[in-house]
Amino acid sequence: MSPRPMKPRPQSDAVDNEGPTPLSKGRRHLAMRLDDAWLGFQTRLAIRRGRVETVIPYTGYGSTSWVRVLARIVRSDPRDAAGHTNPLQESMRGWRNFTSAPVAHAQVNVTIAGTVFDVRADRGGVVDARIPVALDAGWHTITLQSGESEVVEAPVEIVADDADFGVVSDIDDTVMVTALPRPFLAAWNTFVLNEHARTPTPGMAVLYERIARTAPSAPVLYLSTGAWNVAPTLSRFLSRNLYPAGPKLLTDWGPTPDRWFRSGQEHKKTSLERLAEEFPNIKWLLVGDDGQHDESIYSEFAQRHPANVRAIAIRQLSAGEAVLAGGRSKSGGQPTPGIPWIYAPDGAGMSAQLEELGVIRNEVRSADDPEEGEVHTASE
């Protein structure tokens, strides 16, 4: 590799901030101690079996002055590792995504516009780094490498400085129909199904395509409580069903210093807060469903940041879907003066109401019009 230019090393958002402090050395949660023991066992076993360091790239995003780089570093079978050089290629998925040993605190070289930056993964192998760099608005490709791993490419979407509208969309029961009890949903989607077996929600891809036609520069981000392990499968699902390309904001299911599992609701709340801070001039269309928590999360965000919400669109689950989801939200959304709410069971219903609000434009499209060429295909 050519010598790197001498410049300050950017700090990763995921730099080891979970290490013990003087007050916590003797109080580490049992879950953290068990997780460390399991990680050590996984790593030793992976090395004995000849597993190699592998970078799994995810779609990043940023402004014209910084980029948020997202990836995960694991030890995987060399045959799987080769697949990740092409983000949309069929590669490691299903149960192997969860049994592959993460490379804790891996050092990763990120090359952006010819400049190499050093960042570090967290204890779960996740890279989440904000890097100061100047790029033009639009889609770009960066490369990542960890140790002796293959060099992989990752797309990043740079949001224009004058962008004033964007979409934040939930995934399960919003863009895809899960039709499974929530307690079993994650395991089923992860260990059994692949993207071919998942069902898109009727009309939602067309709705998002209409939004993309109305506001071509609007970023579309997919916010979910799902684990980073399933990001490649979700990317292939979204691409095959003609959803606009966009970053996926997922989470790590591992323990924290004070609890067994991370909170999915908290992940969504902090992600929205971060977007409001990163893009203070953007008004977001928040899309979710009425099973459990999306309404309350979006309502709270709209009350705290009314200037950052254009509208809230909630997909109404069918009676059967609501039962499987554990019921509908009991509280619903709290009043958000000046911010419209719409409810519909599918994308067609949402599209009509968003058209009335002026969020998407009324257009007459010929049946012969190709839609595929209008949809981005960049993904992890």
Side-chain angles (χ1 to χ4, degrees):
M1 182 176 290
S2 60
R4 304 187 193 116
M6 297 298 293
K7 63 187 299 177
R9 174 174 165 176
Q11 286 292 315
S12 164
D13 290 349
V15 165
D16 184 16
N17 56 8
E18 297 180 9
T21 64
L23 292 177
S24 67
K25 285 182 179 178
R27 301 182 188 176
R28 296 186 73 230
H29 195 278
L30 174 61
M32 292 283 283
R33 298 198 297 272
L34 292 175
D35 193 55
D36 284 341
W38 170 243
L39 174 59
F41 171 77
Q42 274 187 303
T43 301
R44 292 190 297 272
L45 184 61
I47 292 174
R48 285 202 301 269
R49 291 181 172 179
R51 301 300 190 248
V52 298
E53 205 160 319
T54 303
V55 180
I56 304 176
Y58 306 138
T59 301
Y61 69 90
S63 75
T64 56
S65 60
W66 56 267
V67 171
R68 184 180 181 185
V69 177
L70 300 166
R72 188 165 181 259
I73 318 301
V74 301
R75 293 189 180 276
S76 66
D77 187 292
R79 293 169 295 181
D80 290 329
H84 288 296
T85 58
N86 181 346
L88 282 181
Q89 181 175 329
E90 303 278 350
S91 56
M92 182 173 57
R93 65 183 180 186
W95 61 270
R96 286 183 294 173
N97 276 312
F98 277 81
T99 57
S100 296
V103 181
H105 313 301
Q107 297 290 330
V108 182
N109 297 327
V110 181
T111 303
I112 306 175
T115 301
V116 180
F117 301 86
D118 293 339
V119 299
R120 185 167 65 160
D122 66 9
R123 64 188 299 277
V126 175
V127 173
D128 184 352
R130 175 165 160 155
I131 298 176
V133 62
L135 291 174
D136 294 332
W139 285 94
H140 297 262
T141 299
I142 66 174
T143 63
L144 302 94
Q145 183 180 35
S146 177
E148 299 299 318
S149 76
E150 295 281 343
V151 176
V152 301
E153 295 183 343
V156 293
E157 182 177 16
I158 301 303
V159 180
D161 292 336
D162 59 355
D164 59 4
F165 176 73
V167 178
V168 175
S169 173
D170 181 38
I171 296 179
D172 286 323
D173 288 325
T174 300
V175 301
M176 69 166 65
V177 178
T178 55
L180 285 167
R182 287 290 169 93
F184 303 109
L185 173 61
W188 180 263
N189 282 343
T190 299
F191 300 118
V192 181
L193 290 184
N194 62 33
E195 67 275 9
H196 296 283
R198 300 174 186 227
T199 304
T201 303
M204 293 300 288
V206 175
L207 167 63
Y208 287 16
E209 184 263 345
R210 289 193 66 189
I211 292 173
R213 285 174 180 252
T214 301
S217 63
V220 179
L221 292 90
Y222 299 92
L223 176 58
S224 171
T225 58
W228 282 114
N229 312 62
V230 301
T233 304
L234 291 176
S235 297
R236 291 190 292 268
F237 169 86
L238 294 170
S239 177
R240 285 197 170 98
N241 289 284
L242 302 182
Y243 283 99
K248 277 146 285 292
L249 304 180
L250 307 180
T251 188
D252 185 349
W253 283 354
T256 68
D258 60 355
R259 59 189 300 165
W260 285 94
F261 296 102
R262 285 172 170 78
S263 167
Q265 293 182 56
E266 192 60 31
H267 162 66
K268 285 192 170 183
K269 292 176 181 179
T270 56
S271 294
L272 289 170
E273 290 291 334
R274 177 168 182 162
L275 290 174
E277 179 182 353
E278 292 173 334
F279 303 107
N281 298 321
I282 289 184
K283 286 181 174 287
W284 298 98
L285 169 64
L286 305 178
V287 188
D289 62 79
D290 63 359
Q292 301 296 312
H293 305 296
D294 283 349
E295 289 173 291
S296 60
I297 291 171
Y298 290 166
S299 175
E300 290 172 12
F301 177 75
Q303 291 176 57
R304 290 192 301 270
H305 303 280
N308 294 115
V309 180
R310 175 64 179 86
I312 298 173
I314 299 297
R315 178 182 175 247
Q316 296 168 306
L317 303 184
S318 67
E321 289 172 335
V323 170
L324 293 171
R328 302 183 192 276
S329 171
K330 293 181 173 58
S331 58
Q334 300 302 311
T336 51
I339 297 173
W341 287 69
I342 67 168
Y343 287 83
D346 54 29
M350 287 187 181
S351 184
Q353 295 180 63
L354 289 173
E355 186 178 309
E356 291 179 3
L357 292 173
V359 174
I360 56 180
R361 65 169 176 260
N362 182 13
E363 59 182 3
V364 178
R365 185 174 63 238
S366 166
D368 297 327
D369 257 353
E371 297 181 3
E372 289 84 348
E374 302 275 348
V375 180
H376 293 296
T377 57
S379 191
E380 283 98 16

